[in-house]
Amino acid sequence: AKDEGRHRVAFFMPALNTAVQTRLALENELRQALQQQEFEVFYQPRLDVATGRLMGAEALVRWRHPERGLVDPGTFIPACEDSGQISKLGAWVLEQAARQQLHWRQRGWALTVSVNLSPCQFADPALLQTVQAIVLETGCDPQDLELEITESVLLGHDEHTVQVLNALRDMGFGISIDDFGTGYSNLAYLRHYPITVLKIDRSFVDEHSQARPITGLIVTLSRALGLRVVAEGVETVEQLDWLRTQGCDEFQGFLVSPPLSVTAFEGLLKACD
Ligand code: C2E
Ligand code: CA
Ligand code: CA
Ligand code: CA
């Protein structure tokens, strides 16, 4: 019987192996990448819809892989979340963004820099401490920074999340809801949270989207709640013109620029001067 068992294991192991081993290998690689500082923060410009003025930038992490080149976050953030590494990576991105914001401010470019927070970071009891330490260490002004959270963070309605968000807001951080409209939004819940910005998902911007007519309502709602509205994924002049008629405040998207390395972003800043 013992032999049979061994045989069975040998029979199904290879299939199991590939998926699990690939994932484990990736998680280990990510651990090393953090140690070896292979990550890099890119910045996508955010502009005022009415004036075209550069208002800020969203920090978006990249992995500069020694063999695979520049890797997009969609392929490694989930593995970071599953393996408990996102708190560390997220803190690193926030610290980079805080330093970058200060550096730009000192050079006369006053920009609001936004940083993505994973829902997993809210599950980490050390989140507030970590953020406080970054503020102290960098000397940044949280009022110049914005934290982007997803609707899923708010859906639990739990007291812990409310307290953490209130504490972050009290420190001065702006709080934005990312990909707004793609989750199961109960619009009424928004007023229970210290939100300052709604970032509407690019599916609301697309002229071929069924969701487009809702954008006007989102802007109206935001006005009523005193929130700013930022449109994401703006790719055409038609979309920008339409957003202007809707009263949207700011936008970002390939129409102006993809996320850029710091060097490339500073090239853009100098061109704007
Ligand atoms: P997101 O926060 O919704 O970021 C916007 C994504 O849309 C970015 O992809 C950006 O490059 C892309 N994008 C910008 N403009 C356009 C456009 O005009 N058209 C289209 N089609 N796409 C546009 P990216 O940089 O690959 O990031 C993907 C996602 O990875 C982000 O979505 C965010 O959820 C996550 N992410 C990125 N950096 C971080 C990070 O530091 N921490 C965490 N937790 N998540 C991050
Ligand atoms: Ca975002
Ligand atoms: Ca988004
Ligand atoms: Ca997203």
Side-chain angles (χ1 to χ4, degrees):
K2 203 175 162 200
D3 275 356
E4 246 172 61
R6 199 183 299 147
H7 192 74
R8 214 176 299 133
V9 167
F11 180 72
F12 70 74
M13 273 307 275
L16 189 83
N17 262 348
T18 37
V20 173
Q21 276 186 352
T22 307
R23 187 54 171 249
L24 285 178
L26 174 60
E27 290 176 3
N28 278 325
E29 259 195 295
L30 286 167
R31 204 161 282 124
Q32 275 186 8
L34 264 167
Q35 273 162 16
Q36 290 163 12
Q37 308 195 351
E38 289 173 6
F39 292 103
E40 187 172 326
V41 182
F42 273 40
Y43 295 89
Q44 184 176 37
R46 189 162 122 182
L47 285 77
D48 187 284
V49 168
T51 65
R53 235 185 89 201
L54 187 61
M55 305 296 284
E58 176 174 3
L60 292 154
V61 71
R62 299 288 182 265
W63 181 7
R64 220 176 255 291
H65 192 281
E67 287 122 40
R68 275 174 269 156
L70 209 57
V71 183
D72 279 341
T75 63
F76 63 84
I77 293 278
C80 273
E81 290 174 330
D82 291 351
S83 58
Q85 303 185 72
I86 194 69
S87 286
K88 202 167 169 192
L89 178 64
W92 181 83
V93 173
L94 178 60
E95 183 176 337
Q96 296 302 306
R99 291 191 195 285
Q100 194 62 66
Q101 199 286 334
L102 271 178
H103 176 77
W104 285 332
R105 195 175 75 186
Q106 281 154 8
R107 294 181 58 177
W109 295 307
L111 301 172
T112 300
V113 175
S114 71
V115 177
N116 293 281
L117 283 196
S118 159
C120 300
Q121 289 177 265
F122 281 86
D124 181 351
L127 175 64
L128 275 183
Q129 253 182 306
T130 304
V131 172
Q132 254 146 5
I134 291 169
V135 172
L136 281 177
E137 193 157 313
T138 61
C140 70
D141 184 347
Q143 302 208 45
D144 296 328
L145 298 166
E146 217 172 81
L147 303 174
E148 302 196 2
I149 63 172
T150 55
E151 287 169 279
S152 64
V153 170
L154 308 183
L155 286 178
H157 281 291
D158 65 300
E159 201 46 40
H160 168 73
T161 304
V162 180
Q163 279 171 8
V164 171
L165 285 175
N166 280 330
L168 291 169
R169 182 73 194 115
D170 287 345
M171 289 168 75
F173 289 100
I175 311 278
S176 64
I177 311 272
D178 203 359
D179 306 336
F180 184 75
T182 59
Y184 302 92
S185 315
N186 168 2
L187 299 182
Y189 70 40
L190 286 177
R191 64 197 164 85
H192 297 298
Y193 300 95
I195 308 299
T196 55
V197 173
L198 287 188
K199 293 192 81 171
I200 42 178
D201 190 69
R202 73 166 191 274
S203 57
F204 291 88
V205 174
D206 183 359
E207 53 268 52
H208 307 295
S209 163
Q210 304 258 339
R212 204 182 207 193
I214 301 167
T215 308
L217 290 175
I218 297 178
V219 174
T220 305
L221 167 85
S222 306
R223 288 283 167 279
L225 294 168
L227 310 177
R228 291 182 71 72
V229 188
V230 179
E232 304 189 283
V234 178
E235 295 180 351
T236 68
V237 172
E238 189 276 342
Q239 290 170 352
L240 178 59
D241 287 343
W242 179 77
L243 287 168
R244 200 173 290 121
T245 67
Q246 300 301 302
C248 184
D249 298 299
E250 295 176 37
F251 76 102
Q252 57 188 79
F254 295 165
L255 173 64
V256 171
S257 168
L260 300 170
S261 69
V262 169
T263 311
F265 193 91
E266 289 184 347
L268 191 113
L269 285 172
K270 284 171 196 151
C272 288
D273 270 352

